[in-house]
Amino acid sequence: MGEASKISRYLYTVIVLFLIWLAITASLDVQELGFGLLLSLIVAAFTYEIFTTNGLANLHPKRIAYMIAYIPYFLWAMIMANLDVAYRVLHPKRPIRPGIVKCKTVLSSDVGKLALANSITLTPGTITLDVDEDEYFIHWIWVPDEALTESEEEHVKASSEGITVPFEKFLKVIFG
C-alpha cells in the first residue's frame, strides 16, 4: 500500500473516532472537542491499519446517502417485523411455521456480510445462525410456501427474496 492510502486510512479512522466521541459526549465544549480530537488522533495512529481498508473512499457522497437512507428503511423493517411477530404471538391459533432456510448474498466484503447478518438478526422473526462465504443459514418464524419447495435453487431464491435482498439494495452500495 502506498503512503497516500495510509494517510487516507488514518484520516478516515480519525474522523470516525471523533464522530463517535461527539455522539458519546454530546458536548460542543471546546475543551471536550480538543480532548476528543487528540484522543482520536492517538487511537487512530495505533488502529487505522485494522480499522479500514478503503480509507476516505468510505466517505463517498453516494455511500453516505445510502447509509442515511438505510437507517429509516431498517427501522421501518424492524417495526413491521415486530408487528408481525406480535400478531403471531397474540393470535389464538399461533400461526407460525418455523424453519431454517438457506439464503445467498451478493455482498462481497466481510463488513457488508456482517452488517447483513446483524440486520437480519435485529429484525424480529429471523435469526442468522451461520454465515459460510455467500450462504446464510437463518431461522425464520414463518417460512412461506415458496421456500418450502424441494428444489434447493427455488428454496434459496424464495428465502433470499424474503430476507436478504431487501437489505442488500442498500448494503451493496454502502459496503461494496
Side-chain angles (χ1 to χ4, degrees):
M1 266 189 199
E3 194 63 32
S5 152
K6 284 184 178 182
I7 292 171
S8 172
R9 291 167 63 196
Y10 174 73
L11 290 175
Y12 175 74
T13 305
V14 168
I15 290 168
V16 170
L17 292 174
F18 188 65
L19 289 174
I20 292 170
W21 175 267
L22 287 174
I24 290 172
T25 61
S27 172
L28 296 177
D29 181 62
V30 176
Q31 289 180 332
E32 288 191 29
L33 290 175
F35 184 71
L37 181 60
L38 178 66
L39 194 61
S40 298
L41 290 166
I42 293 168
V43 171
F46 294 106
T47 62
Y48 78 93
E49 291 179 343
I50 58 173
F51 194 83
T52 180
T53 56
N54 296 333
L56 291 173
N58 289 325
L59 297 178
H60 189 279
K62 185 176 181 181
R63 282 184 168 181
I64 293 173
Y66 270 78
M67 196 176 306
I68 291 169
Y70 183 67
I71 293 168
Y73 178 83
F74 173 72
L75 291 174
W76 180 253
M78 197 168 15
I79 289 168
M80 296 308 292
N82 270 294
L83 293 173
D84 181 64
V85 169
Y87 163 77
R88 294 180 192 291
V89 169
L90 296 174
H91 193 281
K93 294 185 180 179
R94 297 248 163 91
I96 63 170
R97 190 177 348 165
I100 297 174
V101 296
K102 178 179 173 182
C103 299
K104 286 201 180 255
T105 184
V106 297
L107 300 175
S108 57
S109 75
D110 289 341
V111 177
K113 291 177 185 178
L114 175 67
L116 178 60
N118 286 337
S119 296
I120 292 167
T121 298
L122 288 170
T123 307
T126 53
I127 299 173
T128 305
L129 302 173
D130 190 24
V131 179
D132 185 20
E133 298 296 323
D134 66 338
E135 296 177 344
Y136 286 70
F137 295 92
I138 299 165
H139 181 273
W140 201 357
I141 196 170
W142 179 258
V143 180
D145 292 333
E146 301 83 30
L148 292 174
T149 180
E150 290 186 26
S151 164
E152 183 177 349
E153 186 177 311
E154 291 176 22
H155 164 81
V156 170
K157 183 179 180 196
S159 300
S160 297
E161 286 175 1
I163 299 175
T164 60
V165 170
F167 295 126
E168 287 175 335
K169 293 182 292 189
F170 294 92
L171 297 177
K172 188 173 18 172
V173 176
I174 297 169
F175 297 107

